[in-house]
Amino acid sequence: MLSFLKWPDLPSQWLKPIKPTESEEDNQSRAQALRALTYQQKNLEGYVGFANLPNQVYRKSVKRGFEFTLMVVGESGLGKSTLINSLFLTDLYSSEYPGPSHRIKKTVQVEQSKVVVKEGGVHLLLTIVDTPGFGDAVDNSNCWQPVIDHIDSKFEDYLNAESRVNRRLMPDNRVHSCLYFIAPSGHGLKPLDIEFMKRLHEKVNIIPLIAKADTMTPEECQQFKKQIMKEIQEHKIKIYEFPETDDEEEMRLVKKIKDRLPLAVVGSNTIIEVNGKRVRGRQYPWGVAEVENGEHCDFTILRNMLIRTHMQDLKDVTNNVHYENYRSKKLAAVTYNGVDNNKNKGQLTKSPLAQMEEERRDHVTKMKKMEQEMEQVFEMKVKEKLQKLKDSEVELQRRHEQMKKNLEAQHKELEEKRRQHEEEKSGWEAQQRILEQQKLEAFRTLEKNKKKKIF
Amino acid sequence: MASTEIARQAGEGARAVPLSGHVGFDSMPDQLVNKSVNHGFCFNILCVGETGLGKSTLMDTLFNTKFEGEPTQHNQPGVTLKSNTYELQESNVRLKLTIVNTVGFGDQINKEDSYKSIVEFIDAQFEAYLQEELKIKRTLHSYHDTRIHACLYFIAPTGHSLKSLDLVTMKKLDSKVNIIPIIAKSDAISKSELAKFKIKITSELVSNGVQIYQFPTDDESVAEINSTMNSHLPFAVVGSTEEVKMGNKMVKARQYPWGTVQVENENHCDFVKLREMLIRVNMEDLREQTHTRHYELYRRCKLEEMGFKDTDPDSKPFSLQETYEAKRNEFMGELQKKEEEMRQMFVQRVKEKEAELKEAEKELHEKFDRLKKLHQDEKKKLEEKKKGLDDELNTFKQKKTAAELLQSQAQQAGGSATIKRDKERKNNPWLCTE
């Protein structure tokens, strides 16, 4: 007797009815689809078992393993490496593998470190991309360019891998999130901050952080945060937004996070004993700033958000929004040969191949038309020529006829003349003969008389 | 713990670092699952089998609901595919289920083309997905995937072997879809016959090289059960939506005078096994196989057909841009060539026609030159005649003048003679003049 598979303990959130969270686009397209086809809702009269699907998905995802790429950007000395180490509770950056601030080059470099971490049976391939030299030069114009180039090159790699004829499992090396460190100056965003975020907000999920938050009092921090958010809105910078959920509890959490943006963080590599507990913190003469204390800084919120609840969403937004943006721009450029065809934006639903197909069809029609025109012109010209030929034939014929008639008339005339002449001749000849006769007779008579006379 | 695919792919350059505490990314699978559940799942089943083998009933039984449809007649002229999509929900999992039925399969006298409409349908779904994937602005995330994830092939319970139609069809489908052959209406076969039948079918499939879907055995949690099930293929199923009271429960069954066949009794048929494997254990694997194996194969063939290659002659990989640009250049070149050809053709025709017309003109001129010559000859003749006449006239005139001259002379002489005579007469009245 087969026993049913053991059900793992489903997390409580699974058993609650969860409504779909969709972006605006999804809403629209789904609404469209629904309007076109309404699928039938069927009620199940018994247990079927596809509720086990999530379990199957879980199993497969664990088997496959996960990957995540995190980029950290900020001036040197803002505590980036320390924060990463604190986030992942490991010595990603150590004396052997120094952090970006220890590797300053003359120009901004983009470098990545890959580590594999394991927890609870889940493998995570973590790539940290850092930018030593960012913002450290005297002239920082275009220091964001290497960053943009790096992100684009990862998109390009993915696009090429996706477009190959023979595809294999593609590693996802795209940058899923960018932690941007703002110096705790207390006044507002620096022009470099604004410039960077404006250029990158459509390429990557930007999560702005206030670094070294333990240099500000809570009120100063509050003020600073307000100022930053105001400036972000003013400049229409799109930082990473938490997805909407219909679940009330989740929404409350999300709202709480939203109120505390941008997150002010403190990082530490050292463990200190506080009240008998071993915590990560920074020891000052006046006390210990605990990293994981929610009242001291927003580190916990960041960690929970970045790793425990929204890591998948960051990947999804990168895949569905940022990458698709890059891809459609790239393919549009290829299809339309870089010509800025704003009017073609509506036609971007075609693939480049479909575009070529359509162009080919247009060309065929054009050719047909051309052929028809050429055919027409040809026919016309031929007709003209033939007509001319005919005309000249007719003309020549006419002349020939005329000449013939002429000749005939002349002939007739001649005949007439001859006839007359003949008549005249024969008449004269007859007359001559009569005269001759008369003469002869006269001569005879004369002779006769002569003879008579003699007697 | 076995290393994951990602870990294997990490290769060199990725070092493993230990964690000194609980970071929390072990919730990643949960996050992923959460998202999938929110998004909803979709699954598409294709049922291939002769009319009357109980396809619709089996679907109803599998999914515990009554789907639409009336039983079809046997008089279909060809094989058509009818697809219906339903939204089902179980606890919090929403499933968009599409059931595609082959209507009229096996009913025609000539069944050579029966498999064609099925293959076309499957290809059409792949094509739709491929087109969506190739679009410039695409919405893959919200795309309703219509590709067939599983094909249940219903084998008639003859008890002997597979029909040739079955072999031909399955051979055509095995590279396009996951085939799960099942023996339909298996309550018509006795247990001993069934065992033999299964062995026969399996050996026939193997000897004909038909690749049916094997339940995956690479994941430890399900490897054992899957491999056991693999040995029970093909499943012999019975479907029924009617319920019969057995003991104190209502069970799905078919009631015969000699007994009751319980659908969910494993001694009676393999329905439970089928449901386990198809829905509860391997549904996700079926979807994955369709996407990573069958769809990729289709895509690869299609792209190669269109002339795409991965590497240029130097074996350097093409970038997408290069590929498209190359394609585009080729395409433009082709169009230009066509235009040139057409122009050339016209130029040729014009030349030919001109030559023709010139010929005709020349002929015409020659003709009239001949006529002209004739005229000239005639004229000449006429001139000669005229001249002849004129000569005659002249001669005659001369003659006439000469004769008249003579006459006048004679007359003069005669006149004088007459006068003389008259004188003589006067003088000689006795001269008798007569």
Side-chain angles (χ1 to χ4, degrees), chain A residues 173-184:
Chain A
N173 290 323
R174 302 171 289 187
V175 178
H176 300 121
S177 175
C178 173
L179 297 179
Y180 187 77
F181 287 72
I182 302 169

Side-chain angles (χ1 to χ4, degrees), chain A residues 384-402, chain B residues 357 359-372:
Chain A
E384 253 180 50
K385 257 275 163 88
L386 279 177
Q387 189 63 28
K388 248 170 75 180
L389 210 64
K390 228 189 196 152
D391 285 346
S392 72
E393 185 176 355
V394 164
E395 176 69 23
L396 283 172
Q397 188 76 10
R398 192 183 60 82
R399 267 200 269 157
H400 162 71
E401 292 289 315
Q402 210 175 36
Chain B
L357 289 174
E359 265 301 309
E361 217 177 320
K362 202 164 102 177
E363 259 184 50
L364 190 70
H365 280 292
E366 275 180 11
K367 176 169 153 200
F368 279 104
D369 277 344
R370 276 200 306 271
L371 282 177
K372 205 159 147 191

Side-chain angles (χ1 to χ4, degrees), chain B residues 46-278:
Chain B
L46 169 66
C47 293
V48 180
E50 294 174 18
T51 318
L53 278 183
K55 303 189 285 289
S56 321
T57 315
L58 186 68
M59 286 297 115
D60 289 349
T61 323
L62 261 177
F63 290 98
N64 269 328
T65 184
K66 181 90 183 74
F67 294 120
E68 307 273 277
E70 282 160 22
T72 45
Q73 303 300 312
H74 289 271
N75 55 1
Q76 304 292 322
V79 180
T80 50
L81 287 100
K82 236 161 57 102
S83 108
N84 286 308
T85 311
Y86 308 96
E87 292 204 354
L88 310 173
Q89 178 153 2
E90 192 170 61
S91 74
N92 65 330
V93 176
R94 283 169 301 116
L95 180 69
K96 217 177 244 158
L97 179 72
T98 304
I99 300 183
V100 185
N101 244 316
T102 51
V103 177
F105 188 76
D107 279 334
Q108 298 79 33
I109 296 177
N110 181 359
K111 296 180 261 225
E112 267 185 356
D113 296 337
S114 296
Y115 71 86
K116 284 203 184 133
S117 21
I118 305 178
V119 170
E120 273 169 20
F121 182 84
I122 296 176
D123 279 346
Q125 309 315 309
F126 282 151
E127 183 67 29
Y129 190 85
L130 181 64
Q131 285 306 320
E132 180 65 34
E133 207 187 20
L134 289 178
K135 272 193 196 166
I136 296 181
K137 246 199 167 137
R138 57 188 191 180
T139 48
L140 274 181
H141 180 63
S142 50
Y143 178 75
H144 177 210
D145 188 5
T146 53
R147 299 173 293 181
I148 302 294
H149 299 124
C151 171
L152 293 180
Y153 195 93
F154 288 70
I155 300 169
T158 58
H160 296 303
S161 61
L162 285 173
K163 298 193 185 156
S164 42
L165 174 66
D166 294 338
L167 279 170
V168 165
T169 313
M170 280 204 267
K171 193 84 179 86
K172 291 280 178 199
L173 293 179
D174 70 351
S175 57
K176 293 200 172 286
V177 75
N178 301 313
I179 301 186
I180 302 174
I182 56 181
I183 301 170
K185 294 196 167 173
S186 64
D187 52 350
I189 314 180
S190 74
K191 225 176 165 108
S192 52
E193 284 172 357
L194 189 61
K196 273 196 261 171
F197 192 26
K198 282 194 183 181
I199 294 173
K200 191 76 180 19
I201 292 177
T202 327
S203 69
E204 279 195 333
L205 288 174
V206 164
S207 60
N208 279 287
V210 175
Q211 306 254 14
I212 57 171
Y213 176 71
Q214 297 291 321
F215 303 118
T217 48
D218 46 1
D219 187 352
E220 299 109 13
S221 38
V222 291
E224 207 184 299
I225 185 172
N226 274 345
S227 56
T228 325
M229 289 301 169
N230 274 330
S231 61
H232 281 118
L233 285 174
F235 293 134
V237 293
V238 175
S240 170
T241 44
E242 287 160 7
E243 301 206 326
V244 170
K245 197 171 172 91
M246 298 287 303
N248 54 355
K249 274 202 305 171
M250 294 295 283
V251 293
K252 290 197 280 264
R254 285 175 64 76
Q255 190 146 52
Y256 291 102
W258 49 87
T260 314
V261 180
Q262 292 156 39
V263 169
E264 283 173 332
N265 186 335
E266 296 209 41
N267 287 326
H268 292 192
C269 72
D270 296 329
F271 174 81
V272 172
K273 294 197 182 72
L274 174 68
R275 187 176 58 191
E276 256 334 285
M277 287 294 103
L278 182 66

